[in-house]
Amino acid sequence: GHVSISVVAVSVKNSGGSQPDPSRLGFFLLSEESLLQVLTEIQQNPSFCVLDSRYTTHLFTFRELSPPPSASANHTSPVTIPNEYSIFFANCAPETSVSMLVHTELYNLDADSEHSRDYLSAGQTHLPTLFSLFSVAYFAFLALWIYICYSNKLSLHRIHLLMAALLLMKALNLLCAAEDKHYVKVTGTPHGWDVLFYIFQFIRVVLLFTVIVLVGTGWSFLKPFLQEREKKVLMIVIPLQVLANV
């Protein structure tokens, strides 16, 4: 993979009036496995600068900034060891404050094209296709369910309509998940599809547990109403699902 960092409008201020060492300010990558090692180093020596750790992957320091007034830098580094990484900025200069605008990109290059960026991690790059296939499958299930309900209109109950709504929400949820991952893969951002994904997921989960409870109580099959105890179950289950999804 590759990591690209762009910093502009960099401002470094030292309360003591001295000029801080720019090599003590910089960016680095850290894998999840190395995080505990670095934390141990810091605990053993509170004055230890994390930029000197052998467990970090060095990116660049403020030595590489362009001279003022622009004070900016663009840096791209290859990542040769596959892992899940986080980007950190370290300020090891005492009594120094830093402000800047930062834009970061982490991406892999597609095997088919060396110039096509894939912003999903290696384990998630096939998710757009998988979600699309499952969405098509659920739309097919919905069409089949509507046909069955239409063919058996005499034995149709309201619970069957709720089941159709549940299938529709599941299909739309997967469709939005596919679009969400596709745009993240191509551009690095979901372009609002993540909001729709959470909306349909919220409705789907609430509908799912509602249908399960209603089928369990025999509503619409054996009786047209709910008893007081069954209403209390719904009043507990549905708000809990709402809270869990929020």
Side-chain angles (χ1 to χ4, degrees):
H2 291 75
V3 55
S4 174
I5 301 178
S6 172
V7 294
V8 296
V10 179
S11 174
V12 180
K13 296 180 180 179
N14 187 282
S15 58
S18 61
Q19 188 67 24
D21 183 358
S23 65
R24 300 290 83 189
L25 306 163
F27 290 88
F28 63 92
L29 284 180
L30 192 61
S31 65
E32 288 189 349
E33 293 83 354
S34 302
L35 179 59
L36 291 177
Q37 304 291 340
V38 171
L39 291 175
T40 302
E41 288 179 325
I42 295 174
Q43 288 175 352
Q44 292 174 349
N45 182 8
S47 62
F48 174 76
C49 180
V50 69
L51 291 172
D52 298 326
S53 174
R54 60 190 178 92
Y55 298 105
T56 62
T57 303
H58 174 82
L59 294 176
F60 74 96
T61 66
F62 276 15
R63 280 188 182 277
E64 301 173 42
L65 289 179
S66 63
S70 62
S72 61
N74 287 293
H75 188 87
T76 301
S77 300
V79 182
T80 56
I81 302 175
N83 210 324
E84 184 172 345
Y85 291 93
S86 298
I87 298 177
F88 290 90
F89 172 74
N91 179 357
C92 296
E95 301 178 348
T96 301
S97 61
V98 180
S99 66
M100 56 186 163
L101 298 176
V102 184
H103 179 80
T104 62
E105 294 185 5
L106 288 90
Y107 56 89
N108 296 311
L109 294 177
D110 284 339
D112 301 334
S113 172
E114 294 185 357
H115 302 289
S116 180
R117 295 181 177 184
D118 184 348
Y119 290 96
L120 286 178
S121 61
Q124 297 184 354
T125 188
H126 298 297
L127 283 182
T129 303
L130 287 173
F131 283 141
S132 298
L133 292 175
F134 282 119
S135 177
V136 171
Y138 269 95
F139 275 117
F141 292 150
L142 175 62
L144 177 62
W145 183 248
I146 292 174
Y147 171 76
I148 292 173
C149 290
Y150 183 78
S151 302
N152 298 271
K153 285 189 284 188
L154 294 178
S155 58
L156 182 67
H157 295 280
R158 284 175 291 176
I159 192 69
H160 296 129
L161 300 179
L162 276 178
M163 292 176 179
L166 177 59
L167 279 172
L168 177 61
M169 289 301 108
K170 179 63 177 177
L172 292 175
N173 178 227
L174 286 168
L175 180 63
C176 291
E179 289 296 320
D180 172 38
K181 293 299 180 183
H182 169 72
Y183 277 102
V184 171
K185 178 176 181 176
V186 174
T187 67
T189 56
H191 293 273
W193 284 99
D194 52 340
V195 178
L196 288 174
F197 166 77
Y198 283 117
I199 290 173
F200 286 123
Q201 177 171 286
F202 169 77
I203 298 173
R204 176 188 65 82
V205 173
V206 171
L207 264 178
L208 173 64
F209 282 90
T210 303
V211 167
I212 290 173
V213 171
L214 290 176
V215 169
T217 60
W219 176 80
S220 189
F221 284 105
L222 307 175
K223 53 190 179 183
F225 57 89
L226 293 175
Q227 297 178 354
E228 193 64 31
R229 181 175 62 86
E230 295 160 351
K231 290 180 181 178
K232 288 180 179 178
V233 171
L234 278 174
M235 290 296 292
I236 293 172
V237 169
I238 293 177
L240 282 176
Q241 287 307 311
V242 171
L243 180 63
N245 277 270
V246 168

